[in-house]
Amino acid sequence: MNKRWTGFAATALIASLLAGCGANGGENAGSPDTGGATASESPPQPAGEVQEVRVFHFMVDIAEPFNAMTAEFEKEHPNIKIVNDIIGGSADWKSDLKTRFAAGQGPDIFAVDGPSMLSLWQSRIVDLSGEPWAEHALPFAKNAATLDGKLYGMPYNLQGFGLVYNKDLFEKAGIAELPKTLTELEAVAEKLQGAGITPFGNGYGEWWILGMQQMNIAFAQQDDPDKFVQDLTAGTATMKGNPYFEDYKKFLDLTLKYGYANPLTTDYKTQETLLANGEVAMIHQGDWAEMPLRQMNPDLGSIGLMPVPINDDAERMDRLQVGTPMFWAVNKDSKSIEAAKTFLDWMVSSETGQKYLAKDFQFIPAYDNIPADGLSSLSQEVVKYSQANQTIPWSFNQWPDGTYNEFYALIQGYVANKLDYELALDKMDEAWKNLSQK
C-alpha cells in the first residue's frame, strides 16, 4: 500500500524545491479493490476529430482562471476539447462524483483528495507511473498517491490552513505578537473585542471546515498521527478520552464565545466576505482563500496565516497544517485516455500551465521544475512554516470514506447545543468503527 507522508518529511523537500528554483462509466462507485486497473490506450483518433475530455473537480476558488487555462490549452491542442465541471463550496462533491459514475456519466479526469479516496477508486483509475511529469513530482507528494507500487494520482499542489487573520485589525487592537497558545489566543480575542472588533468569523455551515479541517487538528497533534488512525481502526484507541480531542473542544468553545453570530448558517462565501470587509479579524481557512478575498475587496490590506493552538504547549501548537490537497485521476473506462494524459502533462510541464498554477492560481507547486516565486502572502506563510519544520500533517486524507459527514453532523449538534460533547465523541468512535469495516 502507499506510504504516508508527514509534515516533517515535507519540510526538507519544500525547502530544497525553493532553493533549487529560486525562491467504464456505468459501473457503480464501490469499495476499494486490491488490484490496480491497467488501462489500454485510447483508440487512434481520426484526423480532424475533436476528443472531449470532461474534467471534474471541487476548486471553486479558481474556477475562472481554470477555465481560462483550459481555453489556452485548446488553442495549442485544437483536437482536444476540455469540458470543466466544478462542484464545490457547500456541495458534497464526492457523493456527486459517485452518482455520476453510477449513472454511466463518469468524467474522464476527476479529483481525489488523498490516499483513502485513491484506494477507494483504485480499480477504476489509470496507472500514471510512466507519465513524463512523474519524475518531477516531489517524493512525498508522489508517495501519497502511490498504491501497491504504482502511481495512481497526479499531485497538483501543496496547501496549508489555519487561522487567516487581518494584520491591520490586529495592529488596531494593539496586538504585536501572534498567539502561540490557547491562553494567548483568548487574550488576543479579548483585545480585539475590546477594540470593537469581532474576533472570529466561524463558517460552521460548511461540513469541510467543521467536520474535516478543524477535526484534523486533534488527529494531527497526536504523537504519531498515522498510528493513531491505525489504532482507531484496530479498536485500541478512541477519540473519547483522548486529551487532544478535549483540547479541541476548548478551542471550539473559544471561537463560539468570541465569534460572529449564527455560525451554523455561515458558509464559506459569507465567512470570507466578513473578513474581506473587516467585520471579523480571523477565519479558519487556508492559503487558497487569498485570491477570492482580494477579489471581494481589492483594497484589503495585509493578511496572514497562523497555526491553531488548542492548548498551552507553545512549541507543539506553533505548527501549521500542510498537505497535498488534491490529485488528478484518469478514468480507466474513458474513451479519451491519451487526450486526458496530454492535458495533465501540459498543466505541469508547459510554460503556460506552469504560469497558471504558480501565478494565476497562486498555488505552491508540488514539482521541482516549477518556480515557486511570486506566491501570495498566505502561500508564503505555508512555505515559511514548512522551511522552519513547523508543520503537522493532513490526517483526514486517511479517514474512512464517509467520516467527514458523520463528524460534521455530530460536532454541528454540539455547536447547536443539541448534543453533549462527550456523547458526540462516543458517536464519532462508533461511526469510525462502522465506516472502517466497510
Side-chain angles (χ1 to χ4, degrees):
M1 292 299 289
N2 60 304
K3 300 177 182 177
R4 309 298 190 187
W5 74 276
T6 66
F8 301 105
T11 301
L13 291 163
I14 296 175
S16 65
L17 164 63
L18 296 178
C21 66
N24 159 344
E27 295 179 339
N28 295 328
S31 57
D33 186 276
T34 55
T38 301
S40 58
E41 292 191 358
S42 302
Q45 180 181 340
E49 181 179 329
V50 176
Q51 280 193 291
E52 181 177 282
V53 176
R54 294 166 295 162
V55 181
F56 178 95
H57 68 83
F58 54 82
M59 297 183 292
V60 293
D61 292 339
I62 61 165
E64 186 175 337
F66 194 89
N67 289 335
M69 179 187 71
T70 57
E72 294 281 354
F73 170 81
E74 290 172 345
K75 291 178 183 178
E76 298 180 26
H77 300 79
N79 287 346
I80 301 176
K81 171 68 176 177
I82 305 297
V83 178
N84 294 318
D85 197 350
I86 306 173
I87 304 294
S90 301
D92 185 349
W93 65 273
K94 290 186 178 181
S95 294
D96 193 295
L97 180 63
K98 288 182 179 181
T99 299
R100 289 165 191 255
F101 270 90
Q105 299 174 355
D108 303 294
I109 297 172
F110 58 97
V112 293
D113 68 354
S116 292
M117 189 176 177
L118 273 172
S119 181
L120 182 70
W121 290 85
Q122 183 179 3
S123 64
R124 305 176 183 280
I125 55 182
V126 175
D127 176 6
L128 301 174
S129 304
E131 294 305 297
W133 50 261
E135 63 179 295
H136 294 291
L138 295 179
F140 78 87
K142 273 203 302 188
N143 288 343
T146 298
L147 300 169
D148 303 326
K150 297 179 180 180
L151 184 61
Y152 286 100
M154 188 183 93
Y156 201 43
N157 65 308
L158 308 179
Q159 287 182 336
F161 59 83
L163 291 173
V164 177
Y165 65 99
N166 187 313
K167 292 184 178 181
D168 297 332
L169 293 183
F170 269 46
E171 183 178 352
K172 179 180 178 181
I175 301 167
E177 294 185 9
L178 292 180
K180 296 182 180 179
T181 68
L182 185 66
T183 297
E184 291 174 356
L185 181 61
E186 183 162 19
V188 162
E190 290 175 350
K191 282 188 175 182
L192 288 164
Q193 194 171 72
I197 302 166
T198 301
F200 297 100
N202 301 315
Y204 296 160
E206 299 286 6
W207 65 268
W208 51 276
I209 295 176
L210 196 60
M212 184 177 76
Q213 292 182 358
Q214 281 202 8
M215 287 309 304
N216 183 76
I217 303 168
F219 281 82
Q221 287 289 359
Q222 302 292 324
D223 292 335
D224 188 335
D226 290 354
K227 187 176 186 301
F228 181 69
V229 168
Q230 294 164 9
D231 289 346
L232 280 177
T233 301
T236 57
T238 60
M239 286 169 269
K240 184 178 181 180
N242 184 281
Y244 291 106
F245 286 86
E246 297 300 328
D247 290 342
Y248 167 68
K249 176 182 179 295
K250 298 173 186 176
F251 165 75
L252 179 60
D253 288 345
L254 182 64
T255 67
L256 296 172
K257 179 180 178 180
Y258 295 97
Y260 192 82
N262 306 316
L264 291 176
T265 58
T266 301
D267 59 11
Y268 171 57
K269 185 176 181 179
T270 303
Q271 183 191 38
E272 288 216 313
T273 301
L274 291 171
L275 187 75
N277 292 342
E279 296 179 64
V280 300
M282 292 176 280
I283 60 174
H284 192 275
Q285 282 299 332
D287 60 285
W288 59 83
E290 184 150 3
M291 182 185 297
L293 282 170
R294 299 200 180 280
Q295 289 174 340
M296 291 176 182
N297 182 6
D299 297 322
L300 178 65
S302 299
I303 55 176
L305 179 64
M306 62 180 173
V308 179
I310 60 173
N311 64 31
D312 285 346
D313 184 339
E315 183 177 355
R316 193 178 192 118
M317 293 299 106
D318 193 24
R319 297 186 291 169
L320 198 66
Q321 300 173 87
V322 179
T324 305
M326 191 196 77
F327 304 89
W328 293 114
V330 177
N331 181 357
K332 74 177 181 67
D333 294 314
S334 166
K335 297 179 180 178
S336 305
I337 290 176
E338 293 309 308
K341 288 181 176 181
T342 297
F343 177 59
L344 292 183
D345 184 56
W346 180 89
M347 282 199 291
V348 299
S349 300
S350 71
E351 184 177 336
T352 303
Q354 293 179 0
K355 180 192 77 72
Y356 273 96
L357 177 67
K359 295 184 179 180
D360 295 78
F361 301 168
Q362 287 289 294
F363 281 175
I364 304 170
Y367 295 84
D368 61 16
N369 63 324
I370 304 178
D373 50 7
L375 295 175
S376 69
S377 58
L378 298 187
S379 293
Q380 289 175 28
E381 293 286 347
V382 176
V383 173
K384 182 187 74 173
Y385 278 96
S386 298
Q387 288 180 316
N389 199 25
Q390 293 174 247
T391 64
I392 51 178
W394 289 9
S395 178
F396 57 78
N397 285 340
Q398 302 178 40
W399 300 353
D401 187 44
T403 308
Y404 308 154
N405 291 334
E406 291 288 342
F407 285 1
Y408 174 59
L410 293 167
I411 300 302
Q412 185 185 48
Y414 170 71
V415 173
N417 295 314
K418 294 181 179 180
L419 188 65
D420 177 78
Y421 187 75
E422 295 301 310
L423 180 56
L425 291 181
D426 256 335
K427 290 183 176 295
M428 287 166 62
D429 282 323
E430 182 180 350
W432 186 284
K433 179 181 178 180
N434 293 334
L435 292 169
S436 64
Q437 291 175 351
K438 287 185 177 181

